[in-house]
């Protein structure tokens, strides 16, 4: 039996982007938010470091400096009209969060306190600037709680633990979504005037990742399967400081407060790579530098990791705290409580007395569902889909270009979540319901039934770990043609084997076996697009670094990738090749220059 619902606006995802959009739209129309997790468990809640805005509370700062850093950090693949919106509207968005009740840290004068973060500079690159607003190292948690409370206050209707399997886009018009109620296994059809996707990242395609288990990208894959493009999927950011082997993130905030990276000889090796910004150079570069140190035999004990050192005596010896101040253990414990706790709990080290083993971890999807500056989803380089919106990490505005700066995702969520939510609400006031095609849920139902009944010999967990390994090894920080071809053919092989899986649980209630199988299907599609997009871009830019094409090539590649499935258009994992188009990058104020720090 299928349950039917009708809401003017349906939002998929209850992270920062989904909740911000819901809040804006709820002022104009009726809104349902569907989330496969309880809203406040969304990944936004784990963001430790902070949220950027050039408030200038601690030292001089300007939106133009911030825009410049964002464009340069993104290795000039950023659309500069979008970056200008981000830089200007970030200030308003922060004050709006403050007025909603978000408990930001304060200066003694009562202003919002700010700290330094990688790639954020004063005067167009002269030195680090304090731009990140924060609530200790629990900024994302506070954003999520604040937005959720405000959504409740504005009567947003929540469908928690509903798993969206299909997004209904028919003849170029969005009409709703199909979801499984996880507790019962029953299908729900949501008919809507407009849909906004805010399903977050999909870092679970990599073996070592900071991303939560839930970040598997079904709604993104659903659009791709329905024939819509995905933009710049070759750009996946590796964060330099994941806990060794586990990938759990140790936020850049640790370095913002003075922490330094040391190689196996105890040397501050970044002096040789990024003499101006050192430990606060952008993430794509730091991840590469760490690998290079390890490759040169200077990892710790000859192994594939280096140290993050936040011992007060180390910070004081290097004078690496903001302004060269002297720091104490008590001060660090107050500013970085969760990070220090994670080092103790997960790594079993005492960071006030010893350095912590770290290695790069797959962290953030710069690419995703292409949108315009109001969150409207693009059907091609110049066309939009009526009634379809996206915001947050699943979307590509593109404000992060080839590499995102730290603290710029949370700003992206609130600035473009807000714009998308407003545009969605206004659209719903003007538009009528487009009719649903007959038996709109039938395809999703068919795909799920097939999975539930599958009795083949392949195991979901095995296929998933093979996928994660090959993506990590061949489409990670360093890439080259032969490896990417291997990865692509491995992913296609895994897609074949995916048709032969067998599930143990055939029940309806809480069938996580079934949902994990569905998630793997999405990851396989998205990994294929990532590898194929990386292979066709014959240059190095931002997080996409190729040994065989080590230079950035603005003559041929100052453009975005749009990847499409080559044939068909149903809800199941795709078959066949990936087809490409390109879209020019919007350059307004800053002409591309070499990126040095
Ligand atoms: C450990 C960590 C620390 C970070 N720290 C920072 C930081 O300090 N500053 C910063 O700017 N950025 C940070 N980031 C990045 C940033 O937190 C994320 O990019 C951002 O929070 C994503 O928000 P979102 O709203 O797009 O999605 P998320 O918060 O990931 O939420 C996704 C939502 O979609 C729902 N969903 C997904 N699939 C489905 C489906 N099939 N059906 C129904 N619902 C679905 C989920 O239930 C969830 O509610 C960090 C990321 C990580 C992983």
């Amino acid at each position: 039996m299928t349950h039917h619902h009708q809401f003017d606006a349906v939002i998929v995802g209850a992270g920062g982007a989904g909740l911000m959009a819901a809040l804006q739209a709820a002022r104009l129309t009726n809104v349902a938010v569907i989330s496969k997790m309880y809203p406040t468990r969304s990944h936004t809640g784990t963001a430790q470091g902070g949220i950027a805005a050039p408030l200038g509370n601690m030292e001089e700062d300007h939106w133009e400096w911030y825009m410049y850093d964002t464009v340069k950090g993104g290795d000039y693949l950023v659309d500069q009209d979008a970056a200008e919106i981000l830089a200007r509207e970030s200030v308003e968005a922060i004050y709006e969060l403050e007025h909603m009740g978000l408990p930001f840290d304060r200066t003694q004068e009562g202003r919002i306190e700010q700290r330094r973060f990688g790639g954020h500079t004063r005067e167009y690159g002269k030195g680090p600037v304090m731009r990140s607003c924060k609530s200790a190292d629990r900024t994302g948690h506070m954003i999520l709680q604040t937005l959720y409370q405000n959504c409740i206050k504005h009567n947003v209707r929540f469908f928690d633990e509903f798993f969206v399997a299909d997004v209904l886009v028919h003849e170029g018009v969005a009409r709703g979504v199909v979801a499984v109620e996880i507790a019962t296994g029953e299908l729900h059809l949501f008919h809507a005037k407009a849909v906004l996707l805010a399903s977050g990242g999909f870092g679970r395609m990599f073996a070592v990742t900071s991303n939560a288990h839930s970040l598997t990208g079904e709604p993104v894959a659903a659009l791709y399967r329905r024939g819509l493009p995905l933009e710049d999927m070759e750009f996946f950011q590796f964060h330099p400081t994941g806990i060794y082997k586990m990938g759990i993130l140790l936020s850049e905030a640790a370095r913002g407060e003075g922490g330094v990276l040391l190689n196996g000889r105890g040397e501050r090796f970044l002096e040789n790579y990024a003499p101006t910004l050192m430990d606060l150079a952008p993430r794509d570069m730091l991840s590469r530098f760490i690998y290079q140190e390890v490759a040169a035999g200077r990892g710790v004990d000859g192994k594939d990791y280096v140290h993050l050192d936040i011992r007060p005596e180390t910070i004081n010896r290097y004078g690496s705290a903001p302004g060269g101040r002297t720091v104490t253990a008590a001060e660090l414990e107050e500013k970085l409580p969760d990070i220090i706790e994670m080092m103790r709990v997960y790594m079993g080290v005492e960071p006030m007395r010893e350095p912590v083993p770290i290695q790069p971890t797959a962290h953030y999807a710069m690419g995703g569902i292409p949108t315009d500056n109001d969150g409207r989803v693009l059907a091609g380089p110049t066309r939009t889909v009526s009634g379809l919106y996206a915001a947050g990490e699943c979307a590509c505005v593109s404000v992060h270009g080839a590499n995102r700066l730290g603290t710029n995702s949370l700003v992206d969520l609130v600035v473009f979540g807000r714009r998308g939510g407003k545009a969605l609400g206004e659209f719903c006031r003007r538009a009528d319901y487009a009719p649903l095609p007959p038996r709109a849920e039938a395809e999703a139902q068919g795909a799920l039934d097939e999975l539930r009944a599958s009795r083949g010999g392949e195991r979901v967990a095995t296929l998933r770990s093979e996928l994660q390994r090959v993506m990590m090894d061949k489409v990670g920080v360093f890439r080259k043609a032969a490896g990417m071809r291997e990865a692509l053919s491995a992913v296609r092989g895994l897609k074949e084997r995916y048709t032969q899986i067998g599930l143990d649980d055939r029940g309806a209630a809480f069938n996580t076996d079934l949902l994990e199988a569905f998630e793997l299907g999405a990851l396989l599609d998205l990994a294929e697009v990532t590898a194929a997009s990386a292979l066709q871009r014959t240059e190095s830019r931002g997080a996409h670094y190729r040994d065989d094409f080590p230079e950035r090539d603005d003559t041929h590649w100052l453009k975005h990738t749009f990847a499409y499935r080559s044939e068909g258009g149903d809800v199941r994992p795709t078959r066949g090749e990936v087809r490409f188009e390109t879209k020019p990058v919007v350059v307004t104020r800053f002409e591309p220059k070499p990126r040095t720090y």
Side-chain angles (χ1 to χ4, degrees), residues 321-344:
R325 276 186 296 107
T326 306
V327 296
T328 62
E331 205 180 306
L332 290 171
E333 299 261 9
E334 189 190 320
K335 293 201 160 148
L336 306 169
D338 280 8
I339 296 171
I340 290 174
E341 171 98 357
M342 280 184 192
M343 292 167 169
R344 287 183 179 137

Side-chain angles (χ1 to χ4, degrees), residues 151-392:
C151 281
I152 298 289
K153 189 162 127 194
H154 284 85
N155 300 317
V156 172
R157 178 76 192 277
F158 281 91
F159 291 86
D160 301 338
E161 302 189 341
F162 278 59
F163 182 103
V164 171
D166 195 9
V167 181
L168 301 168
V169 182
H170 190 61
E171 292 169 346
V173 181
R175 294 154 200 259
V177 304
V178 182
V180 185
E181 183 176 356
I182 298 175
T184 62
E186 283 166 3
L187 221 58
H188 291 248
L189 176 59
F190 291 84
H191 187 197
K193 290 181 179 175
V195 175
L196 184 141
L197 302 181
S199 59
F202 33 84
R204 281 278 146 186
M205 69 171 73
F206 294 100
V208 176
T209 177
S210 67
N211 281 202
H213 286 277
S214 57
L215 293 173
T216 43
E218 305 73 61
V220 182
L223 292 195
Y224 177 69
R225 290 170 181 176
R226 292 288 175 198
L228 292 172
L230 298 180
E231 183 176 356
D232 290 343
M233 291 288 283
E234 59 273 43
F235 298 103
F236 204 98
Q237 177 175 80
F238 281 71
H239 191 295
T241 57
I243 293 183
Y244 183 50
K245 288 196 173 157
M246 284 178 254
I248 298 170
L249 192 76
L250 298 176
S251 162
E252 217 165 293
R255 282 169 284 130
E257 299 297 349
V260 296
L261 296 177
L262 302 176
N263 66 16
R265 297 178 186 162
E267 296 159 346
R268 201 177 178 197
F269 60 94
L270 293 170
E271 284 168 353
N272 304 325
Y273 295 94
T276 312
L277 288 190
M278 296 239 256
D279 305 275
L280 291 174
R283 295 171 176 176
D284 57 331
M285 295 181 151
L286 292 182
S287 294
R288 280 199 293 281
F289 301 154
I290 292 171
Y291 270 94
Q292 278 166 305
E293 278 301 288
V294 167
R298 294 191 291 270
V300 178
D301 295 337
K303 298 214 180 95
D304 56 343
Y305 68 87
V306 296
H307 277 142
L308 169 63
D309 195 336
I310 63 163
R311 287 177 293 184
E313 73 253 30
T314 308
I315 296 177
N316 295 335
R317 173 151 39 95
Y318 286 112
S320 52
R325 276 186 296 107
T326 306
V327 296
T328 62
E331 205 180 306
L332 290 171
E333 299 261 9
E334 189 190 320
K335 293 201 160 148
L336 306 169
D338 280 8
I339 296 171
I340 290 174
E341 171 98 357
M342 280 184 192
M343 292 167 169
R344 287 183 179 137
V345 171
Y346 293 107
M347 212 51 222
V349 299
E350 176 40 63
M352 293 300 122
R353 285 200 301 274
E354 52 191 328
V356 185
I358 57 100
Q359 74 180 159
T361 181
H363 185 56
Y364 184 85
M366 269 74 72
I369 305 164
T371 71
D372 71 6
N373 291 337
D374 288 308
R376 288 185 202 92
V377 171
L378 304 184
T382 55
R383 290 173 296 131
T384 55
V385 186
S386 176
L388 189 60
Y389 298 79

